[in-house]
Amino acid sequence: MTFRDGTYVARLTPLNAMHRAAGARMVDFGGWDMPLHYGSQIDEHHAVRRDAGMFDVSHMRVVEVEAGAPAAGQRAEPRAFLRYALANNVDKLTVPGKALYSCLLDDDGGVRDDLIVYFLREDHFRLVVNAATAEDDIAWLASLRDRVAPGLVIRPRPDLAMIAVQGPNARAKAWRAIPGSESATAALKPFSAADAGECFVARTGYTGEDGFEIVMPTSRAEATWNALAAAGVKPCGLGARDTLRLEAGMNLYGQDMDRVTTPLESGLAWTVDLASPRDFVGKAALDRAPATRDLAGLLLLDAGGVLRGHQRVHASRGAGEITSGTFSPTLSRSIALARLPSGVAPGEVVEVEVRDKRLRARVVKPPFVRNGQVKVDLA
Amino acid sequence: MKIPDGLRYTSSHEWLRRESDGTITVGITDHAQAQLGDLVFVELPAPGRKVAAGEACAVVESVKAASDVYAPVAGTIVARNDAVPAAPESVNEDAFAAWLYRLRPDDASAMDHLLDARGYQAVISD
């Protein structure tokens, strides 16, 4: 966020004027002025599950990690640095363009951020980090660099915009909208990226549907957004993005995990490699303190309200708390992620304090929805 | 933003309409539904319940937030609109048609002190 003359000024993406002209309801998100919805957030949600929708995610920050000039006969290599800086292991990335999801941890194992890392070349990796944490991440990475990899270049890219196009028809519509993109990306596997002209196209997303996240120069953002809209891609706001990611069982940083929780308590043990001899920031702390709680999915069984963050949950092994809750447009039921004592198994029925009532909810294993298919038993 | 004349309003975004039988029909305003976004859950008070002015007596929840609806004046609930909990989106479609409940006021003149359309317009323009 920015303060000028003592007044708070939200940051604007290159598409801000377009959102406002489209009548979007705008909200502050991590210091950025972002569209919440353009009318009905439920309609936007369904558009992504059934057809194609797009999100302005230019508030997220691309950060290049590049080899510097050799110093004293040694060259700082991005792979070695990221092998130490990230909780997931970049050695899983062997094919150029391949992406990996990882947490960025504190020394005490707390989650500073979650991010996507792309392997482009041995001398060039690319990170995409969250908006609200970007400045802290960059400062943290720079301080780590100074300690273990002097000479390595950590380069934020405020000159880049990003549009996520998601849904079963997203790729086909993106190919129609962006000339030349089909030949460059038709063979792209999930969680991989390739250059298509001025665009960097990744087959990734935050909705549980197929699609692309497209990085481009800010000067190209408006024309690309318009071309996608003309190809029948529906503009969607952060509201739909939140219900889509929660149905897909994906964590939101700052809500489902943060600096005072570890990935092992956040349903992210699969992203942390504790078995290999590799050392990384936070590893010793995670080794010392095994998790006693973890995230689970909840499906509301009773009528009487909507599951929301901070509601208290009573399970057989003790109490916990909802970290993200909402009404699921696909299921027409309320769903949540909740941090519960370890060992609470799918199938258990718990009680959630919703206002003055206790409502029953069933523990389920996320995702709730993936690729348009309901993945939990609603009976 | 629709703010029909002839209704009374509260600064907590309820609208009131006086019926010919002396009861008062209560709903939430168009501004309120727009602020909340898509409604997904509505809970209404049971007929017969006595409510004080300013007492929370109904709940509306959208995808993003839960909000209480207050009794604008003291009285007794005499009816509720069960079509709304069955289809919460009807409030988004027409907030002045999708009424929530009716009450018989303890004091027939109590609603005269509430905001008129112009006064409510001023409240939401702040």
Side-chain angles (χ1 to χ4, degrees), chain B residues 22-44:
Chain B
T23 62
I24 293 170
T25 302
V26 180
I28 65 167
T29 65
D30 192 36
H31 173 76
Q33 71 76 21
Q35 291 288 329
L36 285 163
D38 291 313
L39 292 192
V40 294
F41 175 77
V42 175
E43 189 172 73
L44 300 177

Side-chain angles (χ1 to χ4, degrees), chain A residues 289-309:
Chain A
T292 59
R293 46 188 197 155
D294 200 1
L295 284 186
L298 295 182
L299 174 71
L300 185 64
L301 300 175
D302 290 332
V306 177
L307 301 176
R308 308 273 181 200

Side-chain angles (χ1 to χ4, degrees), chain B residues 32-111:
Chain B
Q33 71 76 21
Q35 291 288 329
L36 285 163
D38 291 313
L39 292 192
V40 294
F41 175 77
V42 175
E43 189 172 73
L44 300 177
R49 174 171 162 188
K50 293 188 80 66
V51 292
E55 180 178 329
C57 66
V59 175
V60 291
E61 293 205 36
S62 69
V63 182
K64 72 176 193 220
S67 182
D68 287 320
V69 180
Y70 302 100
V73 298
T76 305
I77 306 291
V78 294
R80 65 178 179 199
N81 186 0
D82 286 322
V84 169
E89 65 276 14
S90 60
V91 177
N92 297 111
E93 286 153 13
D94 188 344
F96 296 103
W99 60 280
L100 300 182
Y101 61 88
R102 280 199 183 106
L103 59 76
R104 182 166 296 285
D106 293 344
D107 170 2
S109 68
M111 77 178 267

